[in-house]
Structures are given as C-alpha cells and as structure tokens.
Amino acid sequence: MASTSVSRVVPASPQRVWNLIGGFDALPDWLPYIPESTALEGGRVRRLTNPDGDVIIERLVGFDEAERHYSYAILEAPFPVTGYVSTLRVHAVPGRDDVAEVQWSGRFTPDGVTDTEAEELFAGIYRDGLDALHQAVAA
C-alpha cells in the first residue's frame, strides 16, 4: 500500500476554512478540478465530474465536525489505484487564530503503476487543490 500527504497553511481561521471545505458535497465551492458534485444516498456518496467529463464516485467513511476532518473512499474513478481512502483535515495553528493548516492525505494500492507514480499523482492533486483553497480563502 502506498500513501502521500500534503499540508498547506492558508490565510483564514480554522472554522472559516472548515465552513468552506467541510461539507462532503462542497468540492466545487473551492476546487476548480471538480466543477460538479451531486450528493447521493442522503449525502453519504458524491458523484463528481472533472473538466474532462470523467466521473469520480466517492463514499464518506468518516466525519468529525468537532475535530474538523472527514475521510472518504473512491468507489469509481479513472485513477490507477484500488483501495483508495483519503482524509481532509483542518488544524488550528498554535498561537494563531487567523490561519489554518489543511492536510490532505491518502493511502491506496497502485494498479498498473509504481508506488512512486501513484504517490506523485495524488501529491500533485492534493497540492493543486490546497493551492486553489489558498486562493479561495485569500480572495
């Protein structure tokens, strides 16, 4: 099993960041790679579409409002991995109430690619996503 994790400090309070990203169906609000999300099964599953029209279906597998994090599993996607589970987490920065650290991590089994290739793919997705989040909260 391979894994990767990317963190970024963003210029907004942890609660403001969580208010933007904490909804499982909220990706289109801050992530340009996902312009469309449809909630299914009472909000426990999301059907995402990327700009190329690819469909990604994910299931919420864990959610903690107080700790500001959720985890999800990919059920269907055009990615070369199986067993994908990811967590998006918002941390407070000690001594600061005007910034937050956001961590996006995942673990998965590469399918037809090396561990390094799969890790680099998701590290890039997470890095680009957190850059977009930084821009969204800085605006």
Side-chain angles (χ1 to χ4, degrees), residues 5-129:
S5 181
V6 174
S7 293
R8 173 99 192 247
V9 173
V10 297
S13 71
Q15 191 58 50
R16 180 169 168 235
V17 173
W18 181 248
N19 289 347
L20 177 60
I21 72 172
F24 187 56
D25 198 35
L27 289 180
D29 295 342
W30 61 275
L31 188 61
Y33 180 70
I34 302 296
E36 184 181 331
S37 177
T38 303
L40 305 169
E41 296 184 24
R44 302 287 297 178
V45 173
R46 61 187 178 193
R47 182 186 187 277
L48 310 170
T49 306
N50 72 16
D52 296 331
D54 295 324
V55 171
I56 303 162
I57 299 176
E58 300 172 336
R59 176 177 297 282
L60 185 66
V61 295
F63 185 89
D64 190 320
E65 181 78 29
E67 295 292 321
R68 297 187 191 107
H69 65 83
Y70 70 80
S71 299
Y72 61 94
I74 290 180
L75 304 179
E76 177 186 323
F79 302 128
V81 298
T82 60
Y84 177 99
V85 176
S86 182
T87 299
L88 192 57
R89 179 182 309 267
V90 179
H91 297 283
V93 175
R96 301 280 305 267
D97 60 3
D98 60 333
V99 298
E101 181 184 7
V102 181
Q103 178 186 33
W104 199 348
S105 60
R107 62 185 190 281
F108 36 82
T109 301
D111 184 10
V113 298
T114 66
D115 284 9
T116 300
E117 289 170 326
E119 288 167 349
E120 287 175 357
L121 169 69
F122 287 104
I125 290 171
Y126 300 164
R127 197 168 27 256
D128 291 348

